[in-house]
Amino acid sequence: MSSDPCSFSSFTRCVTRHLNVSFHVDFVRHVIRGTVALTVEALEDRFSALTLDTRDLKVVSVNANGQAAQFNMGAKHSFKGTPLEVTLPFDLSRGQHFILEVTYETSPGASALQWLTPEQTAGKKHPYLFSQCQAHHCRSMIPCQDSPSVKHTYYAQVSVPKDLVAVMSAVRDGQEVDPQDPSRIIYRFRQTVPMPSYLIAIVVGDLESREIGPRSRVWSEKEYVDKAAFEFSETETMLKTAEDLAGPYVWGPYDILVLPPSFPYGGMENPCLTFATPTLLAGDKSLSNVIAHEISHSWTGNLVTNKTWEHFWLNEGHTVYLERMIGRCMEGEQFRQFEAIGGWKMLQDSVNTFGANSPLTNLVPSLDEVNPDDAFSSVPYEKGFALLYHLEELMGGPEVFMGFVKSYIQMFAYSSVTTEEWKNYLFTYFKDKVDILKKVDWNAWMFTPGMPPVKPVYDTTMAEACIALSQKWLKANETELGKFSKSDLKSLSSPQVIEFLSLLLQEDPLPLTHVKKMQEVYDLNSYMNSEIRFRWLRLCVRSKWEEAVPLALKMATDQGRMKFTRPLFREVFNFDKFKDEAVRTFLAHRPAMHPVTAGLVAKDLKVDVPLSTSL
């Protein structure tokens, strides 16, 4: 069987080289009717059977090189879906290719897809569809070898109603009226760089675009498009900086698509077309580090990919490292240090949420019978970054260690890697410093739960004002609350206000009098920057300010970014008086939520009744 605990597909015996997909997007039934032709290479002699991953797919027919092939749907697994077992009408030798064509239909409840009604969009006139395949959801959209260890190119044609636009994680390759139905248009896409299935992405909606650079456009509904063009205007500078650090950008265009508010992540690094949450549109470019992060994935993640989700830190730790190196080039080393301080707090938060003994806080967790969505947290990002920063200090500083990261990218480009392969290459690259590397407690870093064994010492210059102000609030008694004034925050940048609130969230809840005074002098309720608002509302709910509860629940449901939605629901749920209110609000909004977000919030709030989706 395969060595990917999250996939049924037989990728040790055969490997997909190319996908050719044809989609007919049906907004009435909330399904995609699809045909996929997989170009598959046999990896052994007398090869005559294979298994693909599927989830909630209705498979109509399977052909191999044009001949009907027998197929069988195996037993359904809770999160892995259903194996599609195919017997070929012929044998192949190692190295031979064949084309396997599967005709099928997705389910209205497909976990990769969210179908939005016109009311759920900004424009309110047209429906909208978007996909989110990472980690293991592509199989609910396309029958495939749904493992990050398999990389292939793809070509797609997508038929949609003519007043809508389709875009994908590929280079656009023209459009034409659908010859079968003049009320529809077929959009075509070509992806010539081999990539894993989780990076296949599609959006269909009433989209517009604006040019923001020589190889970049921003796409969104027209209500967001100008705001997004302003917010992400530094994209080309970030791309050039990343190329200087990591080598040439190989994907052609780098476009950004701003999704409707229910998109569950901050960003998703779909090739040629980064997906971004509208919660990044702060109006002051202060949250564009998420774009630096997604740009960095063009090298670490998309070009060099984790072989299984157990090695997810290879994607995310290196990407955070590269993102902060871009920040260092653009804003200076003190800015990178400041960002690292914030990251350490996010790691502490995740460890507190999971529990310091949870195996999911290991840098390299075992995911045997674990749903990768349940394992998702800032651990692979920030514990991964902390390890790389620790190694940077041991090996001779940022320039020296960035040399390794660049060499690692060149060495493993277009392939998938494990932690063991990464570590072996680290020892090879720094062969003259092996004695230092051997002193690293690798077992504590990789396979031990909780916080890392070494806490890096970061430069606190940019954090000092935040630390001083937070300490002032923590130490103030009732009589000293008069000494705070509006000017306290005016001298802080948006990232510093975020840090100030993060520091307070690490301590015991403030007295209610303090948060009420904070609102009176700083008017934090009026801040629309999502990262500031999120932390402020958590602080208020923790201090049992009842008036903040409806504001927290409103933010948890007005958008669906899991980074915000899950903790906000948890905070209200933990406020005993409003526990039932949290559950009621969730159940009322659940039908409009993204399926992954809804499933995880249900677990957080201990609501176990699954939302049934009729086929």
Side-chain angles (χ1 to χ4, degrees), residues 15 19 36 38 44 187 202 224 250 358 362 387 416 429 440 457 462 523 553 602:
V15 62
L19 291 183
V36 59
L38 302 96
E44 60 185 24
Y187 288 89
I202 182 169
Y224 291 135
V250 302
S358 166
N362 288 12
L387 171 59
S416 302
Y429 183 88
V440 173
V457 180
M462 278 182 70
D523 192 17
L553 290 173

Side-chain angles (χ1 to χ4, degrees), residues 32-76:
I32 292 175
R33 294 204 302 279
T35 301
V36 59
L38 302 96
T39 303
V40 182
E41 180 179 334
L43 297 179
E44 60 185 24
D45 287 331
R46 292 184 300 284
F47 177 84
S48 63
L50 73 156
T51 304
L52 296 179
D53 290 302
T54 77
R55 183 170 176 179
D56 301 329
L57 295 182
K58 195 191 289 178
V59 176
V60 179
S61 66
V62 181
N63 290 326
N65 288 353
Q67 302 173 51
Q70 285 182 303
F71 67 93
N72 173 55
M73 305 302 284
K76 183 172 180 174

Side-chain angles (χ1 to χ4, degrees), residues 7 23 88 141 177 214 222 287 322 339 357 389 398 483:
S7 171
F23 285 159
L88 301 178
M141 183 169 83
V177 175
K222 70 168 178 289
L287 304 181
L322 199 45
E339 293 279 278
N357 294 318
Y389 185 83
K483 66 185 178 186

Side-chain angles (χ1 to χ4, degrees), residues 576-587:
D576 277 344
K577 185 174 176 181
F578 293 94
K579 187 175 270 243
D580 292 345
E581 179 68 11
V583 173
R584 263 201 311 278
T585 304
F586 166 61
L587 292 174

Side-chain angles (χ1 to χ4, degrees), residues 395 397-412 421-434 437:
M395 294 296 101
E399 282 84 1
V400 172
F401 198 72
M402 195 58 224
F404 161 71
V405 174
K406 185 173 185 176
S407 179
Y408 158 73
I409 291 164
Q410 287 169 337
M411 179 70 187
F412 294 106
E421 290 170 301
W422 168 85
K423 190 179 156 197
N424 288 342
Y425 190 66
L426 178 78
F427 274 69
T428 305
Y429 183 88
F430 288 114
K431 56 182 181 295
D432 51 342
K433 294 177 180 164
V434 165
L437 287 173

Side-chain angles (χ1 to χ4, degrees), residues 26-32 106-110 113 115-117 127-128:
D26 184 339
F27 277 101
V28 178
R29 294 176 53 233
H30 285 184
V31 298
I32 292 175
T106 64
S107 147
L113 303 173
W115 302 85
L116 301 179
T117 62
Y128 195 107

Side-chain angles (χ1 to χ4, degrees), residues 121-403:
T121 67
K124 311 288 182 208
K125 288 195 185 71
H126 296 284
Y128 195 107
L129 167 68
F130 70 84
S131 68
Q132 168 59 35
C133 287
Q134 195 178 30
H136 60 298
H137 299 288
C138 186
R139 64 193 71 178
S140 72
M141 183 169 83
I142 301 171
C144 61
Q145 292 186 298
D146 198 7
S147 166
S149 62
V150 176
K151 292 189 166 184
H152 44 66
T153 53
Y154 81 87
Y155 193 87
Q157 42 188 359
V158 184
S159 170
V160 301
K162 70 169 188 286
D163 42 9
L164 300 179
V165 173
V167 285
M168 289 189 78
S169 54
V171 178
R172 286 173 289 134
D173 190 39
Q175 63 194 70
E176 64 191 37
V177 175
D178 188 336
Q180 315 277 296
D181 182 345
S183 71
R184 299 176 71 88
I185 293 180
I186 290 177
Y187 288 89
R188 298 173 182 278
F189 305 93
R190 181 190 303 277
Q191 179 53 266
T192 57
V193 182
M195 51 165 246
S197 55
Y198 75 84
L199 292 175
I200 298 174
I202 182 169
V203 168
V204 182
D206 184 12
L207 301 173
E208 289 193 4
S209 70
R210 297 271 184 282
E211 192 174 290
I212 55 167
R215 46 187 157 175
S216 301
R217 304 187 75 81
V218 65
W219 296 80
S220 72
E221 293 182 79
K222 70 168 178 289
E223 289 75 10
Y224 291 135
V225 77
D226 290 323
K227 211 174 170 190
F230 170 79
E231 206 74 35
F232 305 139
S233 63
E234 294 174 329
T235 298
E236 181 60 23
T237 310
M238 288 180 181
L239 271 168
K240 281 206 178 89
T241 306
E243 287 187 301
D244 290 343
L245 290 165
Y249 175 79
V250 302
W251 303 89
Y254 181 84
D255 289 1
I256 300 169
L257 178 113
V258 178
L259 285 116
S262 64
F263 182 59
Y265 296 100
M268 177 63 210
E269 65 273 15
N270 298 313
C272 310
L273 185 69
T274 278
F275 284 16
T277 166
T279 64
L280 300 182
L281 304 178
D284 61 1
K285 308 186 190 184
S286 61
L287 304 181
S288 62
N289 67 302
V290 172
I291 299 302
H293 181 89
E294 305 312 333
I295 283 172
S296 301
H297 268 307
S298 307
W299 289 269
T300 48
N302 298 6
L303 202 54
V304 181
T305 307
N306 47 230
K307 197 165 271 184
T308 74
W309 297 114
E310 297 169 308
H311 304 281
F312 187 43
W313 84 273
L314 291 174
N315 277 21
E316 296 302 346
H318 287 87
T319 297
V320 173
Y321 186 82
L322 199 45
E323 164 205 339
R324 290 185 182 147
M325 288 299 280
I326 293 173
R328 177 179 190 262
C329 295
M330 290 174 67
E331 310 278 345
E333 175 63 12
Q334 283 186 350
F335 178 75
R336 180 173 83 121
Q337 297 281 324
F338 178 72
E339 293 279 278
I341 291 169
W344 185 267
K345 281 190 196 57
M346 284 166 64
L347 175 57
Q348 186 72 68
D349 214 24
S350 280
V351 169
N352 293 346
T353 303
F354 278 122
N357 294 318
S358 166
L360 293 183
T361 62
N362 288 12
L363 188 60
V364 185
S366 165
L367 293 186
D368 202 35
E369 289 305 315
V370 176
N371 184 334
D373 288 339
D374 293 346
F376 184 82
S377 75
S378 41
V379 171
Y381 295 72
E382 296 297 347
K383 204 176 200 177
F385 172 81
L387 171 59
L388 296 174
Y389 185 83
H390 178 56
L391 292 170
E392 172 195 297
E393 291 195 304
L394 292 176
M395 294 296 101
E399 282 84 1
V400 172
F401 198 72
M402 195 58 224

